Amino acid sequence: MALKKEIAAKIKDLLQQNPKGLSISDIVRKIDINRNTAGRYLENLMVSGQVEMRHFGMAKIYRVAQRVPLSAMLSISSELIMLLDNSLRIIYANEPMLTFLETTQKDIYGKNIEFTSCITLFNDSYNRLIKGIKNGLKGVEWKEEITSEKKGIVFSCHIAPTVFEEGQRGVSILFEDITEHKRANEKIKESEQRFRTLFEGAAEGIIVADTETEKFLYANSTICKMLGYSVRELIKMGLKDIHPKSDLEYVRGEFKALPNSEKNVAVNIPCLKKDRTILYVNIVTSSVLLDGKNCIVGFFTDVTKQKRAEESLRDSEERYRKLVEISPDPIILHRDEKIIFMNPAALTLIGASNFDEVIGKNILDFIHPNFRDAVKINIQNDLTGEITSTIELSMIRIDGKSVIVEGRGIKTLIDGDYAIQVALRDITERKRAEEALRESEEKYRSILDNTQDAYFRADLEGRITMANPSAARIFRFDSVDEMIGIPAMSLYSIPEHRQEILTIIKEQGGIKDFISEGLRKDGTIFWVSMNVQYTYDTLGTVTGTEGFIRDITDRKRAEETLRESEEKYRSLVERANDGICIIQDGIIKFCNRQIIEFWGGSIKEVLGRNITDFVHPAGLSKIIDRYNRRMAGESPPSIYETILKRKDGGRFFAEVNAGVVSYDGRLGDLIIVRDINERKRIEEALRDSEATAQALINAPTDSILLLNSKGEILALNETAALRFGRPKDELIGVLADHLLPEEIARERRLIISQLLEGKSVVRFEDKRDGVWFDTVAYPIISKDGEINKIAIVSREITDLKQKEEELRKSKR
């Protein structure tokens, strides 16, 4: 059966005329429909949120729902929100969505989404978006990531089925900007990939082990080849599995001491390969924190050949012992330019497989032609006993490849005749490393030159030895050269901070995210954040400091603006005449001074307690009912009256206004409490008798008028006379309408008419000359039971209205 709007409208009008609510039997008697049909319409009106139902005994009572407009709730969201009807027409879009679409409400409301800028803004993702919307209209939620290629924004899109007023179905679309989150994830992946590339591509074997358990956590392919294990096998092993028992305690001692050491530790020890043969390695270890664990990183270099060469040299004849003492590196002995001896390291250096390949050969045959003349001169100088300096030269291996060495010769006596013994060192890898270092430094310099943060390096005396262009720009020097030699501490304007920075660096080896005031060359002061640390040479000796400085002036201004805004908000809240508190999970997280006064205790007694501790048993059921209805997805009235409890057990009547607010990063309930005890007493007195109403006419806090059925003033208090600006005596007998603007007077005449017809109480708010009033009108019942007089009580609420507006703006 199709539902008709006319019948739904009749039911709503009937319920509006009976604000206390009607049963379904009452509705059927007043509207010509059967009970089942009425039930269908009421169910539809409840689903759309226009009507609410409550139980009264065994009966169900229906009344018009008091709801906050959907647009008001959605407009405060920072996310992009759009509502479509079942014809794909846009019926709502909040401000962030209108800004994104570069349009206005006037230009977009009522349009089909296919005729908006969505098709160009989402481009390739548009068809998926339309598909998700159509699924939503079928009752299926849809959530995916879509991209606006035109604006370079990635959204998490959530489309949910929605039922609007009159039972019409549609969809709610919510876009959450996740661009920065996606970019951050990509950067993490890139960083991990760079780490894995460096880890796996290292020429040295690398193992990462847990300090406490001695278990291996990571291993690269190089160490696997060295030891003969697979990665999977190694990460199931530990220290005891790769070191002989005789060396294990020594290794453990070095291993355990490392986390307390500020330097790397290098040891030469034997390792057991998978086939249980010995592999001599040089291990350089350092301590790192990985995934929250203290770990050790070990860099393994195979020194087995070197170890064997050293053992061979120790067992050699006495004439070769002197050569071993000069250097553990390759050694060649020649006479008359003919090679008479070569140690294993030298043999390896030139790529020979045995000594027969080199003994008797001319030493110059293994020297690159470009260096032979220099070598000849050095040989002659060596024979004269002159101490020659170490030179770098290129040698030619047997396979024709070149190798770079550094060496020095010395005259020695062999078998009664002089010869030249030469100690060499293969520096090919070092040269390559130096070249790589040079390229790295050029890359490093390029990065520093292009970074937006200021970079500087200072010597031990604290004078700048290096700076990037951003440093000159930020501190307004004409060039980087102008900064060289000036004290680094002169860049900070606060003398106390200069000493504090030096102290922290000395005690902790560096300083991170330190906030101070920077001092530009022209004398202007601005805010900076700095990270400074010591620099070291290869021996671990401190050589100076280096650091990055970031201009955070704009951030500090934003923080100050936010702080002022928060202070202003807090000041308004603290000065409010109404009690204000924020509740999360039923617990009071914040309250103002007025709440404390209502309670009658201290702030320590209020914060952290459950809100139900302050509700009188007579009002507790109403509070719980509204909470349960919110949890059930209903929208109970945000403003209602209840009874609260004081510390001493006394009770007082309060008007409660509840809403949702974000506090400390979480959603909570914002509760505004107004003390209405005085108003309740006046209401009670006015309902009791005309005589009591006349006695209350002199109440000092509110404006009170007593009118006859014609609207003429019979009595008034001083507050009312002051607001009308005339003496009380002159106002007696005057029509109240003549004292008000026509639009307000017209409304007052209607209210008086309603009260005379039997309506018990009418409450309304109005604004006169920029001043807001909260007004309650009561009928006065005479002794014979007739209503012939009206009492009007008005309270100025301008301050409250302003605070509500301030609070609403702060939520946005």
Side-chain angles (χ1 to χ4, degrees), residues 690 781-786:
E690 181 179 359
I781 303 173
S782 63
K783 293 180 179 180
D784 54 7
E786 294 183 358

Side-chain angles (χ1 to χ4, degrees), residues 7 70 84 90 105 182 269 340 354 380 384 421 429 448 468 488 499 506 542 572 599 623 625 701 752 759:
I7 296 177
L70 179 62
L84 306 182
I90 297 172
Q105 292 181 356
K182 295 283 287 185
I269 54 175
I340 61 175
N354 57 68
Q380 293 303 318
T384 62
Q421 61 182 16
E429 291 301 322
L448 288 180
N468 67 345
Q499 186 57 46
K506 184 177 180 180
V542 176
L572 289 172
W599 167 242
I623 297 289
D625 175 65
T701 56
I752 292 174
K759 194 164 185 178

Side-chain angles (χ1 to χ4, degrees), residues 584-728:
Q584 291 176 336
D585 300 325
I587 303 302
I588 299 176
K589 298 293 185 178
F590 167 82
C591 66
N592 68 347
R593 169 189 54 80
Q594 194 60 40
I595 286 288
I596 305 302
E597 292 184 6
F598 286 165
W599 167 242
S602 66
I603 191 168
K604 291 183 178 179
E605 294 177 290
V606 173
L607 294 182
R609 294 184 61 174
N610 196 294
I611 185 62
T612 56
D613 294 346
F614 301 95
V615 180
H616 195 274
L620 189 60
S621 60
K622 183 178 292 187
I623 297 289
I624 294 174
D625 175 65
R626 278 166 172 74
Y627 176 79
N628 291 335
R629 288 165 63 189
R630 282 204 304 273
M631 294 299 100
E634 299 181 26
S635 299
S638 60
I639 301 177
Y640 57 91
E641 293 182 2
T642 188
I643 304 173
L644 300 182
K645 181 175 65 175
R646 301 187 191 275
K647 178 182 177 181
D648 58 9
R651 68 176 189 171
F652 69 97
F653 290 93
E655 181 181 81
V656 177
N657 189 346
V660 179
V661 68
S662 177
Y663 183 75
D664 284 344
R666 293 179 54 208
L667 291 180
D669 290 329
L670 173 66
I671 306 297
I672 301 176
V673 180
R674 176 175 294 174
D675 185 349
I676 60 171
N677 277 295
E678 184 66 22
R679 194 176 76 200
K680 282 292 184 180
R681 282 195 296 269
I682 293 175
E683 292 174 3
E684 186 67 25
L686 289 173
R687 281 193 295 267
D688 286 346
S689 68
E690 181 179 359
T692 305
Q694 186 64 41
L696 289 174
I697 214 66
N698 295 316
T701 56
D702 297 332
S703 170
I704 301 177
L705 295 176
L706 187 64
L707 311 179
N708 61 19
S709 60
K710 297 179 182 180
E712 296 172 338
I713 298 175
L714 299 176
L716 73 165
N717 65 354
E718 290 294 342
T719 303
L722 288 173
R723 285 180 180 168
F724 287 126
R726 292 169 59 181
K728 288 173 60 177

Side-chain angles (χ1 to χ4, degrees), residues 557-572:
R557 288 173 180 166
E559 290 173 353
E560 181 64 20
T561 300
L562 178 60
R563 185 190 65 77
E564 292 176 356
S565 175
E566 290 178 347
E567 286 296 327
K568 181 178 180 181
Y569 160 72
R570 183 172 293 277
S571 176
L572 289 172

Side-chain angles (χ1 to χ4, degrees), residues 296-436:
I296 301 297
V297 179
F299 298 85
F300 291 68
T301 303
D302 186 353
V303 295
T304 304
K305 292 181 180 179
Q306 178 182 334
K307 191 73 174 179
R308 289 172 181 169
E310 291 173 354
E311 292 173 354
S312 177
L313 287 172
R314 281 195 296 270
D315 297 335
S316 296
E317 298 177 8
E318 184 64 26
R319 62 182 179 177
Y320 303 123
R321 195 173 297 278
K322 185 182 295 185
L323 297 176
V324 175
E325 292 172 353
I326 295 175
S327 171
D329 296 320
I331 298 173
I332 299 175
L333 189 65
H334 65 86
R335 180 186 293 130
D336 299 329
E337 299 182 357
K338 301 296 181 181
I339 298 174
I340 61 175
F341 173 80
M342 181 179 287
N343 73 348
L347 198 67
T348 302
L349 177 68
I350 63 174
S353 58
N354 57 68
F355 293 104
D356 294 337
E357 293 183 69
V358 294
I359 299 301
K361 296 288 183 69
N362 194 307
I363 184 64
L364 297 178
D365 292 343
F366 298 94
I367 306 298
H368 193 280
N370 294 342
F371 298 91
R372 286 174 184 170
D373 290 342
V375 170
K376 287 179 181 181
I377 293 173
N378 270 16
I379 290 174
Q380 293 303 318
N381 291 336
D382 290 338
L383 289 173
T384 62
E386 182 180 343
I387 299 177
T388 56
S389 58
T390 300
I391 63 170
E392 291 183 5
L393 55 93
S394 180
M395 294 186 68
I396 301 174
R397 291 164 48 94
I398 287 178
D399 58 10
K401 295 181 180 179
S402 296
V403 59
I404 303 173
V405 299
E406 64 179 11
R408 183 170 67 89
I410 187 171
K411 184 173 72 171
T412 187
L413 188 64
I414 302 294
D415 294 332
D417 198 0
Y418 286 106
I420 304 296
Q421 61 182 16
V422 181
L424 300 172
R425 177 172 294 169
D426 184 355
I427 62 172
T428 306
E429 291 301 322
R430 192 184 79 188
K431 283 293 185 182
R432 290 174 181 168
E434 289 175 354
E435 181 64 22

Side-chain angles (χ1 to χ4, degrees), residues 90-112:
I90 297 172
I91 62 175
Y92 176 80
N94 67 352
E95 283 301 323
M97 174 61 80
L98 294 174
T99 302
F100 172 73
L101 296 177
E102 300 176 353
T103 186
T104 64
Q105 292 181 356
K106 180 180 179 182
D107 294 333
I108 197 172
Y109 279 16
K111 279 189 177 181
N112 189 295

